[in-house]
Amino acid sequence: MRLPAFLSMALLCAGLAAAPSLHAQSARPAAKPAGPAAAKPAVAKPAVSKPPAAKPATMPPPPAGLGSADQDLRYKNGKILVEQGRYAMAMQELEPLTLATAKFGRAPEAAYLYAVAASRTKKWAEAEQMLNLLRNRYPSWSGLPEALFLQGQISFEQQDYPNALAVLSELPTNTLTSERATMEAMYLPRISEKAVFQNLVKNFPQDAALGRAYADKLVSGGWYTPADQAQLDQLISRFSLDRNTYTPRPGGTKKSSYNIGVLLPFEFGDTSWEKRRRNQFITDLYAGLRLAQDSLQRAGRPVQLFAYDTGADTVQLKQVLTLPELAGMDLIIGPIYKSGSKILAQYAQQHQIAVVNPLSQDGSLVTDNAWHYLFEPGTATQARQAAQFAYTRLGGPRTAVVLYEDTNDETAFGLAYKQAYEALGGKVLQLRRIKSDDETSLAAGFGGIDLKTVGHLVVASDNPKSGVFTLSAMRVQSARPPLITYASWLNNNRLSLDQLDSRDIYFIHPKYLDRNNAGVRRVRQLYIQQLNLPPSVFAYTGFELLYYFGSQLHQHGPSFQQPLANGGPVSGAVFQGIGYPNGAHDNQYVPITKLERLEVEVLNPVGFR
């Protein structure tokens, strides 16, 4: 057995779905500080790009002679099936060869291949059971280091960090050293609880990758307190870390006022009516920030806003990031577009300054970066929260059919929903992609599905046509399964509120505003007094973002990551809730609403599961 082929398979057990990028519009070259901007009535959202569809790869035919009594042929076929990605078939082909009664000469190799196939389908229990059998029955097998390595990754995938490190510590000296360090560097930063990390460092004191990862969490992850200095000094000495790199940023203590950089594509260089109209959402967002600044000042929690025009491309953003005063900010808000977010995330980590993206729902932007937050719930978070709601609150058979629009965002939603719902114990009977602008695709999406027998239906689509077709399909079948979908359906002029009220339709509603809420009414009143027009949802977003994170600065100082991780979602000033528990870096509260007597009601208020 050659190490590279099987090792690469093991390293690819866990995959991440790609999210759409936000395409920048044309920009002016000069970066300059921006003052308060006057709000305009027109609102425009940034465009979401859609990459060209990839052509499906042609799957080769399975090998001949499956299930043969010839053990060598069966082993060969199992190996081919693993290479083809037919993992369930590979497991069926290989399992009989691993039995002691089979007396197959290459049983260890067959057991290892079986474990690889099981891990690729995330059948962790089956993979781990086979690897334990392999280690116990064939302790002198030459390929045992690869088996230990794979078992370590399986434990990491299940977040069993102590077992992962214990298994990896059994690797022979100078064997797979760099590969082990790479794997630990990938998984250990995902630990979100400081106490868990501290116990690992205590129990595995000589693990260099672990020590370095914990030092990174202390210095770059916002976990550092003065009480950690002695342990940090030990890690620096023990693993020869660069002391300059691992010196926490000064200024973590509380201050009377905080400086906040606002990096947004105001594009003041282009004064055309078309540009101002397209950028109205930026103007509204900033107006909301300014209003929250006034409210924080009145509450005795002053913050100073320093706004910079980043334009709509990365060139102008990079110019802004060279300004020396930016490194002295206590918090940075922005930018809008994905390419700029990645650049600013690196800057935030390097300078240890928390950054909050105000509008993105791309959870991949904040992966493994303790200084980068999304104000919005990520797409996958919305899916997980909706799945939790469905499993615990809908009753009936715990089965679902999930249809999702042919976009990267909705693809990520569909996959996350299936994974979360089935992890709870439910079953997604069908997971299908649809193109709502193509009626044939919509018909195929619902084709062959008996909606009367489904526990609930999920339609992840903002397209107005999907709502019309879904309700029509339910009416044709005289079916009334509970339906989970996006809140945009409430604004679909092709659907009446009576239609939506008469069925059990539940809306994923991150931006729900209760117009009778005292905070919403107060912000609306102040906004109209200052700008002579009602606030848009972007204005409310700017207000909530700064009021929440400005309050966090005054409560905990600039390194507020750990207090956020230790708390739960709380009611917002205007929105229903906001919170980043357990080390999350996108908002974990997602309102689920329903029409009752033509009034929108929140079914999962903050604090209610």
Side-chain angles (χ1 to χ4, degrees):
M1 179 187 303
R2 294 194 309 168
L3 172 62
F6 294 119
L7 190 57
S8 62
M9 290 180 186
L11 284 171
L12 293 173
C13 286
L16 295 174
S21 58
L22 295 178
H23 271 227
Q25 300 174 22
S26 60
R28 299 296 171 182
K32 58 184 179 180
K40 304 294 179 183
V43 175
K45 291 185 179 180
V48 179
S49 70
K50 177 182 174 183
K55 294 182 179 180
T58 303
M59 175 69 76
L66 295 181
S68 171
D70 184 338
Q71 292 182 327
D72 289 326
L73 177 59
R74 191 164 191 142
Y75 172 77
K76 178 182 177 182
N77 285 344
K79 186 176 179 181
I80 292 172
L81 290 168
V82 170
E83 293 171 351
Q84 290 180 345
R86 292 182 163 103
Y87 302 117
M89 294 174 66
M91 292 168 67
Q92 292 179 359
E93 197 74 358
L94 293 166
E95 186 176 21
L97 304 178
T98 67
L99 301 175
T101 54
K103 298 180 180 180
F104 178 51
R106 306 188 71 178
E109 288 86 346
Y112 179 76
L113 282 171
Y114 176 95
V116 168
S119 66
R120 292 301 298 271
T121 55
K122 298 188 177 183
K123 295 182 178 179
W124 308 124
E126 290 89 335
E128 195 153 20
Q129 182 180 6
M130 186 61 73
L131 289 170
N132 285 331
L133 179 148
L134 173 59
R135 292 170 58 191
N136 293 329
R137 189 177 295 170
Y138 308 102
S140 59
W141 178 53
S142 62
L144 198 61
E146 292 100 279
L148 290 169
F149 188 88
L150 177 58
Q151 191 163 13
Q153 190 195 20
I154 289 170
S155 294
F156 272 133
E157 283 287 339
Q158 298 178 91
Q159 299 181 8
D160 187 353
Y161 299 105
N163 190 63
L165 295 177
V167 170
L168 292 176
S169 68
E170 296 181 35
L171 285 169
T173 305
N174 299 324
T175 302
L176 300 178
T177 304
S178 62
E179 292 86 351
R180 172 184 173 182
T182 299
M183 182 162 67
E184 289 188 38
M186 179 174 68
Y187 285 101
L188 291 174
R190 301 180 185 180
I191 301 174
S192 59
E193 298 178 32
K194 188 175 182 179
V196 172
F197 230 135
Q198 286 176 323
N199 286 332
L200 292 175
V201 172
K202 178 182 178 181
N203 294 328
F204 301 93
Q206 302 306 318
D207 190 315
L210 174 65
R212 186 179 299 106
Y214 185 58
D216 287 337
K217 281 284 191 178
L218 289 175
V219 177
S220 301
W223 286 5
Y224 177 82
T225 67
D228 296 309
Q229 187 59 53
Q231 186 175 29
L232 181 58
D233 288 337
Q234 290 178 358
L235 294 172
I236 291 171
S237 299
R238 182 179 302 158
F239 301 114
S240 301
L241 304 179
D242 181 8
R243 187 168 292 275
N244 292 329
T245 301
Y246 289 93
T247 298
R249 178 194 182 205
T253 56
K254 295 182 182 180
K255 301 190 297 186
S256 59
S257 180
Y258 293 91
N259 297 331
I260 299 175
V262 181
L263 277 60
L264 296 175
F266 296 103
E267 298 191 76
F268 289 139
D270 188 342
T271 59
S272 67
W273 178 86
E274 293 83 2
K275 175 61 68 176
R276 295 199 327 244
R277 180 179 178 84
R278 284 199 299 268
N279 266 19
Q280 183 61 50
F281 73 101
I282 299 294
T283 303
D284 291 354
L285 180 69
Y286 187 64
L289 294 172
R290 291 297 300 269
L291 189 63
Q293 181 187 22
D294 293 342
S295 296
L296 288 168
Q297 179 73 38
R298 288 194 297 270
R301 299 192 291 268
V303 298
Q304 305 303 318
L305 295 183
F306 298 87
Y308 298 86
D309 185 1
T310 61
D313 63 10
T314 59
V315 173
Q316 201 163 332
L317 173 62
K318 290 176 181 177
Q319 292 177 5
V320 171
L321 296 182
T322 64
L323 299 174
E325 68 262 25
L326 204 66
M329 296 296 169
D330 299 301
L331 178 74
I332 296 176
I333 296 171
I336 297 298
Y337 304 112
K338 184 174 181 178
S339 56
S341 292
K342 291 181 177 180
I343 293 172
L344 187 55
Q346 294 174 353
Y347 180 92
Q349 198 162 36
Q350 179 183 356
H351 292 83
Q352 299 174 31
I353 304 171
V355 167
V356 184
N357 185 303
L359 299 179
S360 177
Q361 296 182 355
D362 183 356
S364 69
L365 291 175
V366 293
T367 301
D368 297 338
N369 189 334
W371 298 92
H372 199 192
Y373 287 87
L374 301 185
F375 176 69
E376 303 269 8
T379 301
T381 294
Q382 294 180 42
R384 288 191 290 267
Q385 297 295 338
Q388 174 76 39
F389 175 86
Y391 188 82
T392 58
R393 302 284 298 277
L394 292 187
R398 288 197 168 105
T399 58
V401 168
V402 179
L403 308 180
Y404 59 91
E405 197 66 49
D406 185 22
T407 66
N408 286 342
D409 268 349
E410 275 58 59
T411 298
F413 181 99
L415 295 174
Y417 193 97
K418 173 178 169 61
Q419 183 179 22
Y421 192 66
E422 294 189 340
L424 291 167
K427 178 65 176 177
V428 173
L429 302 175
Q430 295 289 338
L431 179 65
R432 295 183 179 180
R433 184 182 314 217
I434 58 175
K435 295 181 180 180
S436 294
D437 286 327
D438 180 355
E439 191 162 328
T440 302
S441 173
L442 277 171
F446 283 90
I449 297 175
D450 183 357
L451 295 176
K452 292 181 179 179
T453 63
V454 172
H456 71 279
L457 175 66
V458 181
V459 180
S461 173
D462 283 317
N463 192 306
K465 295 179 182 179
S466 66
V468 175
F469 196 97
T470 298
L471 296 189
S472 175
M474 295 169 71
R475 184 172 59 253
V476 167
Q477 293 193 30
S478 299
R480 302 183 66 86
L483 169 64
I484 294 177
T485 189
Y486 293 157
S488 58
W489 285 30
L490 291 166
N491 300 317
N492 186 348
N493 57 17
R494 302 184 186 185
L495 301 174
S496 70
L497 291 182
D498 285 330
Q499 285 179 285
L500 299 175
D501 196 353
S502 63
R503 292 181 177 274
D504 289 332
I505 303 179
Y506 302 87
F507 303 102
I508 301 168
H509 211 153
K511 289 298 187 183
Y512 172 67
L513 288 163
D514 182 356
R515 303 294 176 178
N516 296 318
N517 176 276
V520 174
R521 287 189 285 110
R522 180 59 175 162
V523 168
R524 178 182 172 85
Q525 178 188 26
L526 293 172
Y527 195 91
I528 292 175
Q529 286 176 0
Q530 291 189 14
L531 298 169
N532 295 319
L533 77 166
S536 70
V537 68
F538 296 102
Y540 283 115
T541 296
F543 182 91
E544 185 76 89
L545 188 162
L546 183 60
Y547 198 86
Y548 177 82
F549 281 98
S551 298
Q552 293 298 321
L553 286 170
H554 276 277
Q555 290 179 47
H556 308 295
S559 299
F560 49 67
Q561 289 93 331
Q562 198 58 42
L564 255 62
N566 293 337
V570 296
S571 296
V574 292
F575 290 113
Q576 290 295 298
I578 183 171
Y580 301 85
N582 303 317
H585 280 253
D586 63 324
N587 184 7
Q588 294 296 290
Y589 176 68
V590 182
I592 307 295
T593 64
K594 188 178 186 296
L595 276 177
E596 293 289 355
R597 296 175 295 279
L598 302 182
E599 294 290 336
V600 177
E601 293 187 3
V602 178
L603 302 182
N604 61 332
V606 171
F608 183 83
R609 301 287 294 181

